[in-house]
Amino acid sequence: MKVLIIGSGGREHAIAWKLSKEDDIEKIYVSPGNGGTALENKCENISLNSNKDLIEFAKKEKIDFTIVGPEEPLINGIVDDFKSKGLKIFGPDKKGAALEGSKAYAKEFMEKYEIKTAKYKTFINLKEGLKYLEETEYPIVIKADGIAAGKGVIICRDKESGKDTLRDFMEKDIFKGAGKKVVIEEFLEGVEASILTVTDGKTIIPFISAKDHKQVYDGDRGPNTGGMGVICPNPYVTEEVMKEFKEKIMNPTLKGLKIENINFIGNIFFGIMITKKGVYLLEYNVRMGDPETEAILPLMRTNLSTIIINSLEENLENITIEWEKEASINVMLCSEGYPKSYKKGKIIEINPIDTGKIFISGAILKDNKLVTSGGRVLSLTVKNKNFNYAREECYENINKIKFNGVYFRKDIGKKVNN
C-alpha cells in the first residue's frame, strides 16, 4: 500500500515510523514532513500547499489512504474535499472537527449529551466578560474558543490575571481571531490524563492512556506549551477511572455524534481531569495528540494500518488493539526561549543512542544535517517493562543530543512509582 501523511511534526514522524515497520506498507509520502520523515525508511517528503494539489497527487500516485496529522486542515475541511473526489482519508469531516475548532461548541455538545464537564459561560463581549470576572470565584480557567497552538488555555489565580488574560484574548487579539470568543469555566483540582481513541462512527476503542506535561518548566511551572513530555500508561488512570471515562464521557460522545449525524472516522483525543468528585472532560481534540503519539505508538503491537483500514471500512467492532506490556517515556527537547520567541537554524548533533527512538518535531534536513526549525525540536521515547529504568535510560541518552540553547524538563515522570 501507498500512504500519504499530512503534517510536519513529531506526531507525523511517529505515524510514519510506525507504518514504515509494517510489511503491507510499500511507500509513505509526507507533506510537508520534516528532517525525521526525510530520513525514515520507506518515506519521502513532498511539498504540496493546497488541498487541490494534495488530491491530484493522491489520485496520480494511487494513494490507498491519507492520514491527517494536525487539527487545522481538519477544521478547514480537508476530509470533505478528499471524500468528494472519492479518496479514502482518515479524519473527521468539518462538522466533526468543530469539536476541537470551537471550545464553545464543544462545551455545548458536552452539555447537550450529559457528558461530565466543568461549569462554564461563553462570552463574545469583553465588557460582559470583565463583569463576570468581578463576580466569580478563583482560580478560574479562560479558554480561547478557536485554535491557539496549545497556548489558548490559561489558569487565572486571581481577578487581575483574569482581566489581563481576557484583554489579551479579546482586545489585543494575540491569537489572531481565535480568542475573540472565550469560554470561562470553573477550575477543577486533580490530575490530567490524555486518552486517545479511534472511531469509525459506530464503534469507539480507547488506546492506552497517557499523561502529558504541558508547562514549560520543572514542577509544572510557567506557561503552557504544546507539550514537554509524556509518560504512558498514565498511572492515575486506574480500572475504575477508565470505567467511569467510558460510561460518562466516551460512550455518550459517540452517542452524540450519531444523533448529530456527524461523520467521524478518525481519532478522538479526550483530555480529562481525574478529581475527588470523579472524572471530568476538559476538551476534545480530533486527531492524535502531540507528543502523546510519540509515547503511545511505540507500545502498539497491532499494525496501525489495520486499525485505519478497518475504521475507513466501518469495521472496528471486529478489531482488538494489542499493546506491549511495557511503559514508555517521551521527553521533548526545545529551542531556548520556547514557548515565546526563539532562534532557528541551530545544527543538531546526535551521537549514537543506546536505546529508544528519536522523533523529529521542529527540524529540517539541510546539507545532510539536521537543523532546528521550530520551538519543540525533537523528542526521545524509551520503553521498558520497568518505568523507572525507561526514565533513567531516556535521560542518559538525551545527553547525547546537542544543539545550541537546548532546553528540556528534567522531571518528566519523576513522581511515578513503578
Side-chain angles (χ1 to χ4, degrees), residues 335 342-348 362 364 366 370-374 403-404:
S335 298
Y342 53 86
K343 293 181 179 178
K344 302 177 183 180
K346 309 292 184 183
I347 295 173
I348 302 167
I364 57 173
K366 189 175 181 181
L370 282 171
V371 176
T372 66
S373 62
F403 55 89
N404 191 20

Side-chain angles (χ1 to χ4, degrees), residues 147-359:
I147 297 302
K151 304 178 186 75
V153 178
I154 307 292
I155 298 170
C156 302
R157 301 287 172 182
D158 53 50
K159 192 188 299 181
E160 289 309 309
S161 64
K163 288 181 175 180
D164 289 343
T165 298
L166 212 58
R167 289 191 181 101
D168 283 345
F169 284 18
M170 302 183 82
E171 193 172 62
K172 295 181 182 177
D173 195 20
I174 61 171
F175 296 127
K176 296 180 172 55
K180 286 292 189 179
K181 180 191 283 189
V182 300
V183 171
I184 303 179
E185 66 180 34
E186 69 171 320
F187 174 77
L188 297 173
E189 191 77 52
V191 178
E192 286 193 48
S194 304
I195 303 181
L196 276 68
T197 67
V198 62
T199 183
D200 60 4
K202 299 189 301 182
T203 302
I204 187 165
I205 303 173
F207 286 1
I208 197 167
S209 64
K211 178 167 173 44
D212 190 12
H213 297 67
K214 283 284 185 192
Q215 282 79 19
V216 68
Y217 301 126
D218 287 3
D220 293 332
R221 294 177 298 109
N224 273 354
T225 69
M228 296 297 293
V230 172
I231 58 173
C232 181
N234 187 324
Y236 297 97
V237 179
T238 60
E239 286 184 18
E240 292 80 10
V241 167
M242 184 59 83
K243 183 174 182 289
E244 186 177 347
F245 161 73
K246 288 178 180 178
E247 290 176 357
K248 296 185 177 179
I249 296 173
M250 187 183 80
N251 292 337
T253 295
L254 182 61
K255 179 184 175 183
L257 292 175
K258 289 177 180 177
I259 292 171
E260 298 287 330
N261 290 316
I262 294 173
N263 185 12
F264 203 120
I265 294 176
N267 294 111
I268 306 178
F269 173 129
F270 295 85
I272 66 171
M273 182 71 80
I274 305 163
T275 78
K276 291 178 181 178
K277 295 180 180 179
V279 181
Y280 289 76
L281 178 59
L282 297 176
E283 64 177 359
Y284 294 111
N285 290 159
V286 296
R287 33 70 190 186
M288 290 193 201
D290 190 344
E292 285 90 348
T293 303
E294 292 95 303
I296 290 172
L297 288 188
L299 297 179
M300 183 183 283
R301 292 182 65 188
T302 304
N303 279 356
L304 182 59
S305 63
T306 300
I307 296 168
I308 291 171
I309 289 166
N310 280 276
S311 298
L312 293 168
E313 293 176 353
E314 298 184 12
N315 189 42
L316 270 186
E317 63 182 345
N318 296 312
I319 290 294
T320 299
I321 302 175
E322 295 183 357
W323 301 93
E324 302 287 355
K325 293 185 179 355
E326 294 182 299
S328 67
I329 178 171
N330 170 275
V331 177
M332 186 68 66
L333 280 65
C334 300
S335 298
E336 184 179 16
Y338 176 79
K340 296 182 179 177
S341 61
Y342 53 86
K343 293 181 179 178
K344 302 177 183 180
K346 309 292 184 183
I347 295 173
I348 302 167
E349 296 179 9
I350 302 175
N351 292 316
I353 61 172
D354 299 321
T355 186
K357 172 65 183 177
I358 293 170
F359 294 111

Side-chain angles (χ1 to χ4, degrees), residues 98-156:
L99 286 173
E100 180 170 358
S102 170
K103 294 287 192 295
Y105 170 72
K107 294 293 281 191
E108 289 163 11
F109 181 92
M110 294 173 205
E111 190 173 49
K112 184 175 181 180
Y113 294 102
E114 299 180 339
I115 295 161
K116 198 170 178 181
T117 190
K119 295 173 185 174
Y120 75 101
K121 285 187 179 294
T122 302
F123 296 92
I124 56 172
N125 181 282
L126 176 61
K127 189 176 178 181
E128 290 178 7
L130 291 171
K131 183 184 177 185
Y132 179 75
L133 292 179
E134 291 285 351
E135 306 160 354
T136 193
E137 293 182 2
Y138 290 86
I140 50 96
V141 181
I142 300 179
K143 296 180 176 181
D145 178 60
I147 297 302
K151 304 178 186 75
V153 178
I154 307 292
I155 298 170
C156 302

Side-chain angles (χ1 to χ4, degrees), residues 362-418:
I364 57 173
L365 203 59
K366 189 175 181 181
D367 300 325
N368 291 320
K369 291 182 180 179
L370 282 171
V371 176
T372 66
S373 62
R376 294 190 301 164
V377 176
L378 58 83
S379 65
L380 176 64
T381 298
V382 175
K383 61 181 183 176
N384 195 294
K385 288 181 179 177
N386 182 304
F387 174 78
N388 290 326
Y389 288 165
R391 186 178 187 277
E392 190 177 308
E393 289 173 348
C394 186
Y395 276 105
E396 280 180 8
N397 282 280
I398 276 175
N399 293 321
K400 298 176 181 179
I401 305 168
K402 302 185 185 302
F403 55 89
N404 191 20
V406 60
Y407 172 78
F408 58 92
R409 278 183 59 165
K410 314 293 193 298
D411 66 341
I412 305 299
K414 189 174 183 179
K415 297 177 183 177
V416 177
N417 294 317
N418 190 59

